[in-house]
Amino acid sequence: MLRGSLLPLLLWAGIACFVYFVYNPVVAVLPGGLFAVSFLVGVGLRRRARHSVRCSVYGALGGVLDKSMTGF
């Protein structure tokens, strides 16, 4: 697990759980989809810059988690 990534993971999971229980299970897919799209764009940009697959995956995951905590 990435160092310092527990708080952003809890934030993403907390938002998804809150939306699941308050609104609808189908609506809970939106935060998951936003996370997935951000992750895939990050991997694509890193692969285009000729990073290795492993570096691209780790970097994209770290980037999504880092950018999701910008306001905190």
Side-chain angles (χ1 to χ4, degrees):
M1 183 166 237
L2 298 171
R3 194 177 335 160
S5 62
L6 189 58
L7 181 62
L9 286 175
L10 290 174
L11 180 71
W12 279 97
I15 290 171
C17 288
F18 176 76
V19 170
Y20 177 85
F21 287 116
V22 172
Y23 294 107
N24 194 350
V26 176
V27 180
V29 173
L30 291 175
L34 179 63
F35 183 85
V37 167
S38 300
F39 175 75
L40 291 175
V41 167
V43 169
L45 290 174
R46 291 174 194 285
R47 289 297 294 157
R48 182 175 287 174
R50 299 195 182 249
H51 290 267
S52 68
V53 173
R54 182 178 178 183
C55 179
S56 297
V57 170
Y58 287 161
L61 180 61
V64 170
L65 295 177
D66 178 49
K67 298 301 183 229
S68 69
M69 296 302 292
T70 300
F72 292 100

